[in-house]
Amino acid sequence: MGDVTKIDDAYLWNITRISQAFGVSRDTVRKRLNTAGVAPVKKVKGIPLYPLLDVGPALFAGEANVVPTTYKPDELHPKDRKDYYQSENERLKFEEKTKQLIPVEEVRADQVRTLKANVAFFEGLPDKMERTRLFNPEQLDVLERVTDTFRDQLYNELMDVADE
């Protein structure tokens, strides 16, 4: 016949059983229990048994103490870090699919088209004004200097952004 055990002993588990129940390797269980200072409360046939009441907090203390304002993925446990980056990849894919996130190539192409249109407009402005005959030659010279200054200023600002 089988041995009768006390009901309290049902909540005393060895490292192997803890590992199987929580899906964590035995080495990880052992390391986290040692780090948290959880000691076995008794031994059965030389195998140490740990109270589940102490095991849970020891195993998952790092996960429960993560505060969103100080969230640092590189400080997470390896499995949690993997889960974090997988979820971030899925979020980025979703945002790209729903057009909430635009690929950098598309943004750059749009900016280039916009800048080319602006530069072309200001390049041709003095010629257009000359054809309308609303400007005298001195005014056209001033307009050309102002557009050249604008073009140079735009170029310098773009170069500053490129350096950053």
Side-chain angles (χ1 to χ4, degrees):
M1 287 207 92
D3 293 336
V4 176
T5 58
K6 294 182 188 176
I7 191 76
D8 293 337
D9 290 347
Y11 298 107
L12 297 177
W13 290 5
N14 63 27
I15 289 179
T16 301
R17 189 168 178 199
I18 295 167
S19 167
Q20 291 170 345
F22 293 105
V24 181
S25 76
R26 290 171 39 113
D27 292 334
T28 302
V29 171
R30 188 176 295 110
K31 180 179 162 188
R32 290 186 187 173
L33 291 177
N34 287 338
T35 302
V38 177
V41 291
K42 76 187 232 184
K43 288 187 176 186
V44 173
K45 297 180 185 174
I47 300 172
L49 300 176
Y50 299 86
L52 280 182
L53 186 63
D54 297 336
V55 168
L59 283 180
F60 303 107
E63 298 167 10
N65 292 333
V66 175
V67 179
T69 57
T70 60
Y71 198 75
K72 296 178 184 172
D74 294 334
E75 294 177 4
L76 294 173
H77 296 290
K79 181 177 180 344
D80 297 332
R81 187 170 43 246
K82 176 185 165 257
D83 291 343
Y84 170 79
Y85 284 114
Q86 275 182 332
S87 71
E88 283 300 296
N89 283 334
E90 292 301 316
R91 182 184 61 81
L92 292 174
K93 286 177 189 175
F94 173 77
E95 287 181 359
E96 189 173 346
K97 193 175 189 177
T98 59
K99 301 294 184 191
Q100 294 175 15
L101 182 66
I102 303 169
V104 68
E105 296 82 19
E106 286 184 38
V107 172
R108 284 188 180 140
D110 287 347
Q111 288 176 342
V112 166
R113 277 194 300 277
T114 303
L115 288 172
K116 283 182 179 180
N118 280 320
V119 169
F121 172 78
F122 285 107
E123 284 282 324
L125 188 60
D127 294 336
K128 290 176 187 171
M129 292 301 110
E130 184 178 14
R131 278 186 243 127
T132 63
R133 299 178 189 240
L134 295 174
F135 284 56
N136 63 38
E138 293 80 25
Q139 291 172 324
L140 286 171
D141 286 341
V142 171
L143 180 62
E144 193 167 349
R145 279 196 305 271
V146 168
T147 58
D148 288 346
T149 303
F150 170 74
R151 186 182 61 241
D152 292 341
Q153 185 180 17
L154 183 61
Y155 173 80
N156 290 331
E157 287 182 21
L158 287 172
M159 295 311 291
D160 288 344
V161 169
D163 290 341
E164 293 173 4

